[in-house]
């Protein structure tokens, strides 16, 4: 790539949607370094050949995959690009419905012979988006589990600070408002004169 910000949308689109095996292989050989790495929530690859196998599987598993590139940000000093996409991936053998999911792709580039090539690709997805790939009916369950994590965190903060086990955080207030909000009780909670459910430490 001579102009990463301009060229990356086309590269990403080709990698994810082409049905031509030769075009896929040529694209990976042209834009990825031989020792390139690929990190994804479900798979890691340590060479260009392994990366080719991953993308071949994506095309085999989801023949009707579609993507939309929403944004490309490129930092010339770091030689890093960040791409925001929306992707609809559905394995033809999976009976459960899927949904369009968001993904952020970070590309670490290396300039070689005047061209920017991909040294490292990292794909980042929110847990609900990852579940949306495979079983969209289970997305509410994942979202609920994340809310439980928030509740446990707020409960731990309130309990430990209340009994003085808060050496990592001094002063301020005990955040009862956050606990009540995480528990779904914010609207029914009694608040103090200052309009807050928090308590001074």
């Amino acid at each position: 790539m001579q102009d990463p910000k301009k060229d990356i949308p086309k590269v990403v689109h080709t990698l994810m949607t082409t049905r031509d095996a030769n075009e896929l292989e040529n694209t990976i050989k042209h834009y990825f370094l031989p020792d390139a790495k690929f990190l994804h929530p479900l798979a890691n690859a340590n060479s260009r050949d392994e990366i080719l196998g991953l993308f071949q599987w994506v095309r085999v598993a989801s023949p009707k995959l579609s993507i939309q590139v929403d944004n490309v940000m490129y930092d010339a000093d770091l030689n890093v690009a960040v791409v925001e996409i929306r992707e609809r991936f559905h394995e033809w053998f999976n009976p459960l419905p899927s949904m369009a999911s968001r993904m952020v792709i970070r590309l670490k580039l290396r300039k070689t012979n005047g061209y920017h090539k991909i040294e490292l690709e990292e794909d980042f997805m929110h847990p609900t988006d990852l579940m949306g790939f495979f079983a969209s009916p289970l997305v509410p369950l994942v979202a609920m589990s994340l809310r439980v994590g928030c509740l446990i965190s707020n409960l731990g903060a309130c309990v430990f600070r209340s009994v003085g086990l808060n050496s990592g955080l001094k002063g301020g207030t005990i955040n009862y408002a956050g606990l009540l909000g995480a528990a779904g009780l914010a609207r029914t909670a009694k608040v103090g004169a200052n309009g807050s459910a928090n308590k001074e430490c």
Side-chain angles (χ1 to χ4, degrees), residues 44-174:
N44 292 346
N46 293 321
S47 71
R48 186 166 64 190
D49 290 335
E50 292 181 13
I51 293 170
L52 174 59
L54 288 178
F55 278 100
Q56 286 176 335
W57 169 244
V58 168
R59 299 306 302 123
V60 170
S62 182
K64 296 182 179 180
L65 186 151
S66 62
I67 69 164
Q68 177 177 322
V69 177
D70 290 329
N71 193 23
V72 178
M73 294 160 280
Y74 175 63
D75 188 315
D77 293 330
L78 297 176
N79 207 11
V80 168
V82 176
V83 188
E84 296 178 345
I85 71 169
R86 278 176 285 172
E87 176 181 7
R88 181 174 287 278
F89 175 92
H90 187 260
E91 297 136 323
W92 60 268
F93 49 82
N94 182 358
L96 297 173
S98 65
M99 63 182 231
S101 298
R102 300 168 301 147
M103 182 161 64
V104 175
I105 302 170
R106 181 184 185 273
L107 301 173
K108 173 63 178 172
L109 308 176
R110 187 194 307 168
K111 197 166 187 178
T112 304
N113 299 323
Y115 290 90
H116 299 272
K117 296 201 171 187
I118 299 171
E119 176 181 358
L120 170 65
E121 175 175 340
E122 298 176 276
D123 294 350
F124 300 95
M125 299 185 71
H126 191 277
T128 53
D129 288 309
L130 186 60
M131 180 57 73
F133 264 176
F134 305 106
S136 59
L138 298 181
V139 169
L141 182 62
V142 175
M144 184 176 68
S145 69
L146 295 174
R147 290 297 298 164
V148 170
C150 179
L151 174 60
I152 292 172
S153 298
N154 275 271
L155 179 61
C158 288
V159 170
F160 277 67
R161 298 198 74 201
S162 294
V163 299
L165 298 175
N166 59 340
S167 60
L169 191 63
K170 299 292 186 181
T173 60
I174 298 175

